[in-house]
Amino acid sequence: MPGMGNSLRAAALLAFVVLSILLSLLISSVQQFGARVSHFSNATLPGDEEKLASLRGALIYQLNERRKEIIPLLLPEDGDENGLSEETRRSSRAQDPILDYNLWNEITLGSRKAHLDEMGCDSLVDMQAVEILGSGYTKLVVKVNLAGGQPVALKLVNEQGIDMGKCLEDFKDPQGCRELVSSKLQKEIVLLQRLKHPNVIKLKGHCAGGQGGGGEGGRVTVILEQGNPLQMIQLLQSPWEDRFRVCLDLVRLLHFLSQSPLGSVALLDFQPRQFVTVSGELKLTDLDDASAEETACQSDTDCTLEFPHRNFTLPCSARGVCEGLNEKRNIYNAYRYFFTYLLPHQAPPGLTHLVDHIMNSTGELKADINQTLEAFEHILLLYKSGLHLDNLPPSVVKDYTVMRGMGTSGNVEYRCWPSYSQQGCVLSVHSAKEAAYICNSHSQCNSFTLTGQKTWTGE
């Protein structure tokens, strides 16, 4: 069967790619793993059967708990023509989710691939590994070029990660542990499908080891668009316009998450490392720790948001859940990880009072996400229109002579910070009047050139 052959070939290639890039992380290929499982089974002594059965039962319980987390995410809203059949939905609601293995197999074996994404195992044939982008407790992220040259990012189980090691220590079952650890990738596949947004990384496809009836079960690979890891140190040295863009993208994402198809979604592991940039646009790339669960409460004291230096108490609603807790958690994390470092420094003078308002309202959780997004969009409007420059005197350019078609003269080593170029002082401006104002404020500047190059705002 051609489909089965391609799936097996792709699975083998995945193992080879990771082995060839980082031998210390992945030390077994598909064939070696199968041999290890066989050896493990044959080495079992009769006296150990009861202990192994107990361990296996505990592992199955953990697998079922992970399935119970994912199955509600698989159920589409009414009217979703691309979702599960009505018969499957009725079946999943009528049965205990623990026993609903048919529904589980739809994601683990890839029968929903046509609905979820475009690429499958066949797309990974003849790919070329480029570099390791990152590794963590659970996952390994590898940059590869597909056969046609298209770069993508692959997420795989980190064979030598802490999660895999702890599972093997606890349960002594390599394949079962791979399935358990892979559940985070499976959850992420579903979340990426349900939470489509310009500021969420695009799911291009996935490859499950058991697709087509062949391959090794438990092996899951997520295929994503290629992004660049967010470098905060580099971003801190970027012009204010670029730093503002990152914060604006983040607020737009949090606004979407507050009213997503799954309800209000909290990012429980909210760190800059969970984001990448694609052509300058911020995108969330790690969703396995996203949660749409609402916190139950009996009084306001049950609704406390605790951070290292601040605590906030939110109201307990009449429904018995903490009102707006997920949204507020996201806002404050955006404030402490992004806004604090990126927004205030070198903001245009005409916008500093608006930036200060955002810092105060988010730092004290006085504004909801709708108000926060409105404040950001207002700043963007003023910045793009140049209205924030109205107070600059027209006479600021009177000491300059226009020389069309000519570049700047003088000391070419003159640099400023932040700048779009390390070889000179390259800034974005709305007009010649703003450029003259900036040049007047720099003692080394005696001329400037306006180019046709545009930034993302049109400056």
Side-chain angles (χ1 to χ4, degrees), residues 387-451:
L387 292 174
H388 65 296
L389 302 172
D390 283 351
N391 292 330
L392 293 183
S395 60
V396 73
V397 297
K398 68 180 180 63
D399 292 332
Y400 292 87
T401 300
V402 177
M403 305 179 69
R404 300 188 182 279
M406 299 185 65
T408 57
S409 60
N411 183 8
V412 296
E413 297 299 322
Y414 162 57
R415 296 183 177 89
C416 63
W417 182 87
S419 169
Y420 285 100
S421 171
Q422 295 182 354
Q423 305 306 316
C425 186
V426 182
L427 304 174
S428 65
V429 295
H430 184 266
S431 61
K433 184 169 69 171
E434 184 183 8
Y437 173 79
I438 294 174
C439 189
N440 287 344
S441 67
H442 292 183
S443 61
Q444 294 173 280
C445 181
N446 53 38
S447 63
F448 59 88
T449 298
L450 298 176
T451 72

Side-chain angles (χ1 to χ4, degrees), residues 10 282 360 368 372 378 394 406 451:
L282 185 74
N360 291 332
D368 62 24
T372 303
H378 180 57
M406 299 185 65
T451 72

Side-chain angles (χ1 to χ4, degrees), residues 86-127:
E86 180 62 29
E87 181 179 354
T88 304
R89 293 207 301 268
R90 285 198 304 267
S91 172
S92 64
R93 292 185 180 114
Q95 300 178 32
D96 186 328
I98 293 178
L99 303 177
D100 195 359
Y101 292 103
N102 290 334
L103 183 58
W104 177 254
N105 288 338
E106 290 194 358
I107 184 64
T108 57
L109 301 184
S111 61
R112 281 171 56 90
K113 185 177 76 67
H115 298 153
L116 286 171
D117 45 59
E118 299 175 357
M119 295 182 179
C121 295
D122 292 349
S123 303
L124 304 179
V125 175
D126 296 329
M127 65 184 178

Side-chain angles (χ1 to χ4, degrees), residues 44 59 84 110 122 137 165 191 282 291 305 311 320 324:
T44 301
L59 178 57
L84 306 177
D122 292 349
Y137 286 8
L191 287 172
L282 185 74
S291 173
L305 276 176
N311 292 337

Side-chain angles (χ1 to χ4, degrees), residues 127-141:
M127 65 184 178
Q128 293 183 339
V130 179
E131 61 177 316
I132 292 284
L133 296 176
S135 62
Y137 286 8
T138 305
K139 293 168 289 188
L140 188 68
V141 185

Side-chain angles (χ1 to χ4, degrees), residues 40-41 44-64 170-173:
F40 175 81
S41 300
T44 301
L45 299 175
D48 295 332
E49 290 180 359
E50 184 176 345
K51 180 179 179 181
L52 290 176
S54 176
L55 291 176
R56 182 62 181 170
L59 178 57
I60 290 175
Y61 174 80
Q62 292 294 328
L63 286 167
N64 285 332
D170 291 343
F171 301 115
K172 312 294 190 299
D173 186 338

Side-chain angles (χ1 to χ4, degrees), residues 293-299 302-303 316 319-322 325:
E293 293 185 11
E294 295 181 301
T295 302
C297 61
Q298 295 182 342
S299 67
D302 298 324
C303 302
C316 180
R319 297 187 297 119
V321 296
C322 296
L325 188 141

Side-chain angles (χ1 to χ4, degrees), residues 152-446:
V152 297
L154 303 183
K155 281 191 179 183
L156 315 136
V157 168
N158 186 349
E159 300 285 344
Q160 299 301 308
I162 291 178
D163 285 354
M164 189 68 174
K166 186 175 186 307
C167 182
L168 289 172
E169 181 181 345
D170 291 343
F171 301 115
K172 312 294 190 299
D173 186 338
Q175 182 167 342
C177 284
R178 178 172 285 107
E179 292 178 12
L180 183 64
V181 177
S182 292
S183 64
K184 281 198 171 185
L185 292 173
Q186 292 157 352
K187 178 182 178 182
E188 197 159 7
I189 291 171
V190 180
L191 287 172
L192 285 169
Q193 170 62 19
R194 300 301 305 277
L195 300 177
K196 291 182 178 179
H197 185 267
N199 297 115
V200 175
I201 200 76
K202 183 180 179 182
L203 175 69
K204 288 186 170 291
H206 76 279
C207 173
Q211 285 184 9
E216 182 184 340
R219 288 192 180 275
V220 176
T221 301
V222 187
I223 309 171
L224 304 170
E225 69 176 322
Q226 171 61 41
N228 298 312
L230 189 66
Q231 302 289 346
M232 288 297 287
I233 299 299
Q234 180 179 343
L235 195 56
L236 289 170
Q237 301 173 27
S238 300
W240 182 85
E241 184 176 321
D242 289 350
R243 288 181 274 125
F244 174 77
R245 181 184 188 180
V246 167
C247 295
L248 174 63
D249 284 344
L250 179 58
V251 172
R252 287 172 172 170
L253 169 65
L254 298 186
H255 180 264
F256 165 73
L257 292 179
S258 71
Q259 49 191 17
S260 80
L262 300 175
S264 181
V265 175
L267 303 179
L268 301 181
D269 188 12
F270 199 119
Q271 299 278 348
R273 65 172 178 267
Q274 309 295 342
F275 296 87
V276 298
T277 57
V278 179
S279 301
E281 190 172 37
L282 185 74
K283 299 201 177 216
L284 177 64
T285 188
D286 209 335
L287 279 83
D288 59 314
D289 288 312
S291 173
E293 293 185 11
E294 295 181 301
T295 302
C297 61
Q298 295 182 342
S299 67
D300 292 355
T301 56
D302 298 324
C303 302
T304 300
L305 276 176
E306 296 182 352
F307 297 99
H309 303 294
R310 289 294 304 273
N311 292 337
F312 300 93
T313 300
L314 302 179
C316 180
S317 70
R319 297 187 297 119
V321 296
C322 296
E323 189 172 321
L325 188 141
N326 288 345
E327 175 183 323
K328 296 288 189 178
R329 182 194 303 275
N330 289 341
I331 291 175
Y332 192 75
N333 277 327
Y335 163 80
R336 69 191 187 113
Y337 286 117
F338 287 85
F339 302 166
T340 297
Y341 302 104
L342 304 180
L343 266 187
H345 183 60
Q346 292 195 332
L351 300 175
T352 52
H353 66 292
L354 298 175
V355 170
D356 289 343
H357 173 72
I358 287 176
M359 297 301 295
N360 291 332
S361 63
T362 56
E364 299 295 328
L365 286 185
K366 294 178 180 178
D368 62 24
I369 193 60
N370 292 330
Q371 296 166 323
T372 303
L373 178 59
E374 183 179 348
F376 270 88
E377 296 288 1
H378 180 57
I379 288 180
L380 178 63
L381 175 65
L382 294 177
Y383 186 76
K384 292 177 69 173
S385 64
L387 292 174
H388 65 296
L389 302 172
D390 283 351
N391 292 330
L392 293 183
S395 60
V396 73
V397 297
K398 68 180 180 63
D399 292 332
Y400 292 87
T401 300
V402 177
M403 305 179 69
R404 300 188 182 279
M406 299 185 65
T408 57
S409 60
N411 183 8
V412 296
E413 297 299 322
Y414 162 57
R415 296 183 177 89
C416 63
W417 182 87
S419 169
Y420 285 100
S421 171
Q422 295 182 354
Q423 305 306 316
C425 186
V426 182
L427 304 174
S428 65
V429 295
H430 184 266
S431 61
K433 184 169 69 171
E434 184 183 8
Y437 173 79
I438 294 174
C439 189
N440 287 344
S441 67
H442 292 183
S443 61
Q444 294 173 280
C445 181
N446 53 38

